[in-house]
Amino acid sequence: MKAAVLYGNEDIRYDDYETPEVEPGTVKIAVKASGICGSDVPRVLHNGAHYYPIVLGHEFAGEVVEVGEGVTKVKVGDTVTGAPRIPCMVCADCVAGNIAQCTHDSFIGSRQQGSFAEYVVIPEANAVPYDPSVPAETAVFFEPATVAAHGVMQNDYAGGEYVAVIGAGTIGLFVVQWAKIFGSRKIVVFDVDDERLALAKGFGADEGVNSLSEGYLEKAKGLTAGAGYAQVFEAVGSNATLLMALELAAAKAHVGLIGTPHDTVSFTKPQWEIINRKELTLRGFWQGYSLPFPGREWELTAHYFATGQLRADPSFIDRKYPLSEAAEAFARFKNPKNIHGKILLVNQ
Ligand SMILES: [Zn+2]
Ligand SMILES: [Zn+2]
């Protein structure tokens, strides 16, 4: 088969690669489209791969073309995505349902062959069937949708509350949609970009507040009749937005940290004291898994993608490249400021 093979740092080539074979309990998928994840970029551009040569890619949509012995979950012709994490399922964390905390895991597209190829073979348990009416360009967003779902579901989410979502990026917009699906009193989104705020309203946010605007905090509190937000989701990962999460929180609020940190955090004493005074519950979230593996996050994402209540948007996609132009696609990451959304590699 053809694949985008990573031979060394900055050396990714469209080349012949051994076609993977199904084994008992595995599923062979003809890949339609793959997303380039932020985590793939250092693998290609900064010597970040576990070994060479390797075929990366872990956010994908495709069709089952062959199933191994004993497979019952999917059949040939099903449209599927793959949950990329392959937990050991026997360690204490796995048994307890702490799937993302398993340290004996494998990962499709970083420790074993991924989806930047014509075919990928994955364990049956990792295959997630979805309705064929869902476009592949939506299905490549399964993973971020499950990350957002996991954060919302694990944050002791109750409907009927004021919800603050900080950051209107892809994850933030999925958080908005889950909050809408699970029910809320009012969803308010915070971002520094008015266009993203307008987009968030299109996804069901009731209000958008530019956090750089004059008196943002008073305005934000006013939208809750002064109470603050019982549910706060941080989906950026910066010092400023973490502080915002504390400021926006109501007394005893649940503050969910979903954004991947990319900043050093420092608080003044009064800022730190907000956590004590309001008796906040801060929780971090990582990936989108639970039991039964890969979890309700994936099953619900499939369900709500099919009903249309959960959507990806053309604005989530920066650009599409044929798989044969994977090198050009990765070169684009040398100027990340020019990239707005996910870059897709598409099989013709
Ligand atoms: Zn990823
Ligand atoms: Zn484990």
Side-chain angles (χ1 to χ4, degrees):
M1 67 171 179
K2 288 289 187 190
V5 186
L6 183 66
Y7 286 100
N9 199 42
E10 287 195 47
D11 185 10
I12 188 165
R13 279 178 260 153
Y14 186 66
D15 205 350
D16 292 317
Y17 196 80
E18 196 181 338
T19 307
E21 305 266 351
V22 288
E23 288 167 27
T26 67
V27 174
K28 184 173 176 179
I29 297 165
V31 179
K32 284 187 199 152
S34 295
I36 296 179
C37 177
S39 67
D40 292 321
V41 177
R43 291 178 183 130
V44 175
L45 298 183
H46 306 291
N47 278 308
H50 285 295
Y51 55 87
Y52 304 101
I54 186 171
V55 174
L56 303 172
H58 62 269
E59 302 176 354
F60 59 95
E63 188 179 315
V64 176
V65 289
E66 196 181 342
V67 297
E69 204 184 305
V71 170
T72 56
K73 187 177 178 183
V74 293
K75 59 184 189 311
V76 170
D78 283 354
T79 44
V80 288
T81 186
R85 181 174 266 261
I86 303 178
C88 78
M89 297 312 274
V90 295
C91 74
D93 273 319
C94 281
V95 170
N98 306 329
I99 304 300
Q101 285 71 40
C102 175
T103 54
H104 312 278
D105 62 315
S106 184
F107 204 88
I108 295 162
S110 90
R111 295 188 182 271
Q112 62 188 67
Q113 189 219 303
S115 65
F116 296 160
E118 284 180 90
Y119 299 101
V120 64
V121 169
I122 67 172
E124 171 185 23
N126 293 67
V128 178
Y130 63 85
D131 194 89
S133 66
V134 177
E137 287 164 19
T138 296
V140 293
F141 289 97
F142 252 91
E143 201 202 15
T146 64
V147 169
H150 184 74
V152 175
M153 289 161 66
Q154 299 292 312
N155 205 42
D156 291 333
Y157 192 87
E161 303 279 18
Y162 291 109
V163 179
V165 181
I166 303 167
T170 303
I171 295 278
L173 293 177
F174 277 123
V175 171
V176 168
Q177 296 182 78
W178 287 117
K180 194 81 181 169
I181 286 166
F182 295 139
S184 59
R185 180 166 187 160
K186 190 183 273 182
I187 305 168
V188 183
V189 177
F190 300 85
D191 200 280
V192 296
D193 181 337
D194 287 331
E195 271 180 44
R196 299 300 299 181
L197 291 172
L199 193 59
K201 284 193 179 176
F203 280 103
D206 298 292
E207 302 279 352
V209 175
N210 191 316
S211 43
L212 295 179
S213 64
E214 192 77 28
Y216 108 89
L217 190 57
E218 289 67 40
K219 193 174 171 199
K221 289 251 167 88
L223 292 168
T224 65
Y229 296 81
Q231 287 280 329
V232 182
F233 296 98
E234 200 285 333
V236 179
S238 74
N239 195 150
T241 50
L242 183 52
L243 179 59
M244 279 177 62
L246 306 182
E247 289 173 332
L248 292 168
K252 309 237 170 167
H254 292 255
V255 179
L257 308 180
I258 305 180
T260 302
H262 56 257
D263 206 356
T264 297
V265 167
S266 73
F267 288 157
T268 63
K269 191 172 73 72
Q271 288 168 344
W272 180 357
E273 207 173 287
I274 296 172
I275 302 170
N276 304 77
R277 286 183 179 274
K278 291 186 183 173
E279 299 194 343
L280 300 179
T281 301
L282 263 69
R283 289 196 58 181
F285 300 113
W286 192 247
Q287 302 184 344
Y289 297 98
S290 58
L291 290 180
F293 182 81
R296 212 163 158 246
E297 295 88 340
W298 293 81
E299 195 244 314
L300 288 181
T301 296
H303 173 77
Y304 287 110
F305 271 157
T307 65
Q309 286 161 280
L310 191 67
R311 290 183 290 121
D313 186 88
S315 72
F316 289 12
I317 295 171
D318 174 79
R319 201 175 279 205
K320 287 182 262 184
Y321 291 87
L323 184 63
S324 56
E325 292 174 21
E328 286 84 344
F330 274 97
R332 195 159 163 70
F333 286 94
K334 291 184 175 180
N335 284 309
K337 285 202 175 73
N338 298 334
I339 300 176
H340 302 286
K342 190 159 290 291
I343 294 180
L344 301 189
L345 298 176
V346 183
N347 280 313
Q348 262 69 16

